[in-house]
Amino acid sequence: MNLTDYVRQISREDFGKEFRHQAYWNHRLTTTGGRFFPKDGHLDFNPRYYEADLVLFRKIVRHELCHYHLYFEKKGYRHKDRDFKELLKAVDGVRYAPPLPAFDTVDYLYRCQQCAQVYPRKRRVNTAKYRCGKCRGLLVSIDKRNQSLG
């Protein structure tokens, strides 16, 4: 079953209404579970929530379907509206998606030659230009996979 069919099934089961648009995976979403686009009616979902917890993902789908159905019924579809809050509570959707565990985003490690201070970084550092923040010593790049932080 693809994502759009899954959303249609939840819409029929939990709302008794048809979902007539498309649902897509959006791998660029990081802190949100899903999005509703009123302009064309489609829904975007974060696949990491689906992989992490299927029960939570179903509640996120309900949340986005609340926006969807209320918008097309010309009722209050925004988070602050009473219609939205009541429908969300009635279908047992989540108000906010809880944060997912973060990925290990450290790609580069640098160590000071004088004081051995370690600097984990996402981006490469120009060691000819930058120095240690503690002692102004020279920084050297260390291999993240083979060195320990201690």
Side-chain angles (χ1 to χ4, degrees):
M1 174 183 299
N2 68 24
L3 180 61
T4 301
D5 292 338
Y6 180 73
V7 173
R8 285 186 180 135
Q9 176 187 343
I10 292 173
S11 183
R12 280 191 300 273
E13 291 174 3
D14 298 342
F15 293 84
K17 300 172 185 173
E18 287 297 318
F19 175 68
R20 294 176 173 23
H21 292 82
Q22 294 294 311
Y24 303 103
W25 294 116
N26 186 340
H27 296 275
R28 293 183 314 268
L29 295 177
T30 56
T31 60
T32 184
R35 291 190 301 185
F36 165 61
F37 292 84
K39 189 172 184 177
D40 65 355
H42 84 272
L43 302 176
D44 276 0
F45 292 100
N46 186 339
R48 289 179 56 208
Y49 280 96
Y50 177 78
E51 295 160 2
D53 184 358
L54 198 54
V55 174
L56 174 62
F57 182 71
R58 186 177 178 108
K59 290 182 179 191
I60 291 169
V61 171
R62 289 179 189 147
H63 176 106
E64 298 309 322
L65 284 171
C66 286
H67 289 298
Y68 175 85
H69 290 303
L70 290 170
Y71 177 79
F72 288 110
E73 293 170 5
K74 308 240 186 296
K75 294 182 179 176
Y77 68 97
R78 294 175 297 182
H79 288 128
K80 66 181 181 177
D81 297 327
R82 178 181 291 150
D83 292 330
F84 178 80
K85 290 177 183 176
E86 289 172 357
L87 182 58
L88 189 66
K89 189 175 182 182
V91 297
D92 188 33
V94 288
R95 176 99 183 188
Y96 301 104
L100 287 167
F103 289 123
D104 179 19
T105 57
V106 174
D107 294 327
Y108 301 98
L109 281 177
Y110 298 91
R111 179 172 289 161
C112 175
Q113 287 182 330
Q114 287 182 330
C115 69
Q117 172 70 32
V118 176
Y119 295 95
R121 293 290 180 263
K122 288 184 182 181
R123 294 183 178 184
R124 195 178 350 233
V125 172
N126 181 353
T127 55
K129 182 177 179 182
Y130 294 98
R131 300 281 185 122
C132 174
K134 285 175 79 175
C135 71
R136 308 292 300 151
L138 290 174
L139 297 177
V140 292
S141 177
I142 57 176
D143 186 8
K144 185 179 110 172
R145 293 169 296 249
N146 297 331
Q147 297 287 332
S148 65
L149 294 177

